[in-house]
């Protein structure tokens, strides 16, 4: 039985390490364009590989008695707890940045994340000398104390608090539509439950599968992005239309931008991106056309945006006398009795 536990755990940890390493290699190809987000995700993968290695070593030692086994057992178990706490810390940072896309938000909440988890890490170190959480007996068998219950409750509270925050954010916002929360949480939760309720440790595998599913969501989002502009491509309209049908997104105005020369699209995108309203959808419809949809019906705001684009184009042409960027704009607003779906279909027909 003991041998089976070691074998199952070892194979699960090897699979977790290989899965995390494979995703890490794929991430190195520049799939994640946001450098900060990509750095956090790659660090999660690196720590996942470390977790697999430490978990495998902890179980391999668990059923072997030899001189010096006690300090090795305490060292490995303590290192395992430290890595688990660090993973939760990284997960909080990663998820927070996914929601707000702001380093300032992380800076403001850094100590809110850091202090409780670093306190837990401090308790891990204290436990080495006191055994207040867990200890090993004279036969180097693992035991826990009642204090491990509040310790784990605090750990999982921080892990699942951001899960609830993401779920609430997804109900009222659309910027995380490609973030499959269930695809990440379910493997992690199942891995944790199996580890705690059975002799086998598969928590590292559950976490690795969760990260792999998160990477699949990133790839899915990238498939709907136009590489030259960074806007959504025409295939994204299937998602947009579905959101409009479900009244998750209700467009009330739009602007159609048409370029005379499609080769100017990259330069025009740099101009347009800095002038877009916060809550809007921008799609590169074809080689020379970009459409912007917004939930606001403020005609004055649309007019001001059009003027700002014209001024920015004129400035570009002044600074680049060897070339001329020419763009036409068609501003459209939803009529009072017109539905969002009807407005969207009319705008698509208008593009031609």
């Amino acid at each position: 039985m003991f041998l089976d536990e070691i074998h199952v755990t070892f194979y699960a940890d090897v699979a977790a390490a290989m899965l995390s390493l494979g995703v890490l290699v794929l991430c190195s190809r520049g799939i994640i364009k946001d450098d900060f987000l990509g750095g956090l995700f790659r660090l999660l993968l690196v720590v996942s590989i470390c977790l697999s290695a430490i978990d495998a070593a902890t179980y391999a030692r668990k059923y072997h008695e030899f001189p010096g086994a006690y300090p090795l057992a305490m060292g490995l178990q303590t290192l395992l707890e430290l890595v688990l706490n660090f993973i939760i810390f990284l997960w909080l940072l990663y998820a927070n940045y996914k929601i707000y896309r702001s380093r300032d938000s992380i800076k403001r909440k850094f100590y809110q994340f850091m202090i409780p988890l670093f306190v837990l890490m401090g308790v891990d170190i204290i436990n080495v000398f006191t055994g207040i959480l867990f200890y090993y007996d004279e036969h180097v068998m693992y035991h826990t104390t009642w204090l491990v219950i509040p310790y784990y409750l605090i750990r999982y509270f921080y892990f699942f608090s951001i899960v609830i925050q993401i779920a609430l954010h997804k109900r009222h916002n659309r910027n995380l539509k490609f973030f499959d929360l269930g695809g990440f949480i379910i493997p992690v939760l199942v891995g944790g439950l199996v580890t705690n309720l059975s002799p086998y440790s598969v928590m590292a595998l559950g976490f690795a599968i969760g990260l792999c599913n998160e990477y699949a969501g990133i790839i899915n989002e990238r498939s709907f992005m136009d590489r030259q502009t960074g806007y959504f491509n025409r295939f994204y309209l299937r998602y947009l239309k579905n959101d409009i049908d479900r009244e998750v997104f209700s467009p009330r105005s739009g602007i159609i931008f048409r370029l005379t020369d499609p080769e100017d699209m990259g330069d025009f995108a740099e101009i347009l991106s800095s002038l877009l309203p916060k809550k809007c959808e921008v799609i590169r419809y074809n080689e020379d056309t970009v459409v912007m949809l917004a939930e606001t019906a403020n005609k004055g705001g649309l007019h001001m945006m059009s003027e700002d684009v014209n001024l920015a184009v004129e400035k570009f042409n002044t600074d680049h006398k060897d070339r001329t960027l020419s763009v036409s704009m068609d501003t459209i607003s939803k009529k009072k009795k017109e539905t969002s779906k009807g407005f969207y279909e009319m705008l698509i027909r208008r593009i031609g």
Side-chain angles (χ1 to χ4, degrees), residues 45-253:
L45 290 166
V46 170
V47 178
S48 176
I49 295 171
C50 295
L51 175 64
S52 303
I54 296 167
D55 188 56
T58 301
Y59 264 70
R61 189 237 51 86
K62 186 171 286 187
Y63 304 110
H64 293 82
E65 290 188 49
F66 51 85
Y70 180 82
L72 179 61
M74 283 297 293
L76 286 173
Q77 189 67 44
T78 301
L79 190 57
L80 185 66
E81 300 297 336
L82 288 169
V83 170
L84 285 171
N85 286 326
F86 187 59
I87 281 181
I88 294 176
F89 174 68
L90 288 178
W91 158 247
L92 289 173
L93 296 184
Y94 179 80
N96 187 271
Y97 189 79
K98 286 278 286 190
I99 294 173
Y100 300 108
R101 295 284 174 158
S102 170
R103 296 190 190 188
D104 291 335
S105 174
I106 288 180
K107 289 178 182 178
R108 289 193 300 269
K109 297 181 180 180
F110 185 76
Y111 291 104
Q112 177 183 336
F113 298 151
M114 184 180 72
I115 292 175
L117 291 174
F118 277 30
V119 167
L120 292 182
M121 291 182 180
V123 173
D124 292 333
I125 301 299
I126 294 172
N127 180 78
V128 174
F129 306 99
T130 62
I132 58 174
L133 292 177
F134 60 85
Y135 61 92
Y136 286 84
D137 60 22
E138 62 275 12
H139 300 293
V140 201
M141 297 299 293
Y142 178 74
H143 301 277
T144 61
T145 70
W146 67 271
L147 285 175
V148 81
I149 296 175
Y151 173 88
Y152 283 148
L153 287 176
I154 294 172
R155 173 190 283 174
Y156 294 127
F157 169 79
Y158 272 87
F159 182 83
F160 286 106
S161 64
I162 195 69
V163 172
I164 296 171
Q165 187 177 351
I166 292 172
L168 292 174
H169 184 84
K170 284 171 70 72
R171 290 182 61 183
H172 301 96
N173 298 274
R174 303 175 57 250
N175 61 320
L176 294 180
K177 66 173 68 65
F178 294 101
F179 184 27
D180 183 6
L181 185 59
F184 177 79
I185 291 300
I186 292 174
V188 173
L189 187 59
V190 171
L193 287 174
V194 171
T195 299
N196 288 311
L197 300 178
S198 77
Y200 312 110
S201 178
V202 295
M203 60 180 176
L205 181 58
F207 190 74
I209 293 173
L211 289 178
C212 185
N213 288 339
E214 165 61 4
Y215 180 73
I218 294 170
I219 293 296
N220 187 31
E221 183 175 11
R222 289 292 302 165
S223 69
F224 291 99
M225 301 294 289
D226 177 66
R227 293 184 179 181
Q228 185 179 19
T229 62
Y231 302 145
F232 288 113
N233 58 34
R234 187 169 179 171
F235 297 107
Y236 173 71
L237 290 174
R238 70 182 72 169
Y239 272 93
L240 188 62
K241 188 175 185 303
N242 183 52
D243 286 344
I244 292 172
D245 290 341
R246 295 187 297 114
E247 298 183 350
V248 177
F249 180 66
S250 301
R252 302 175 66 188
S253 62

Side-chain angles (χ1 to χ4, degrees), residues 264-284:
D264 293 330
M265 183 60 77
D267 294 323
F268 176 68
E270 290 184 10
I271 293 172
L272 181 63
S273 295
S274 62
L275 301 173
L276 291 170
K278 290 184 178 180
K279 292 185 178 181
C280 68
E281 292 284 2
V282 187
I283 299 100
R284 184 177 183 180

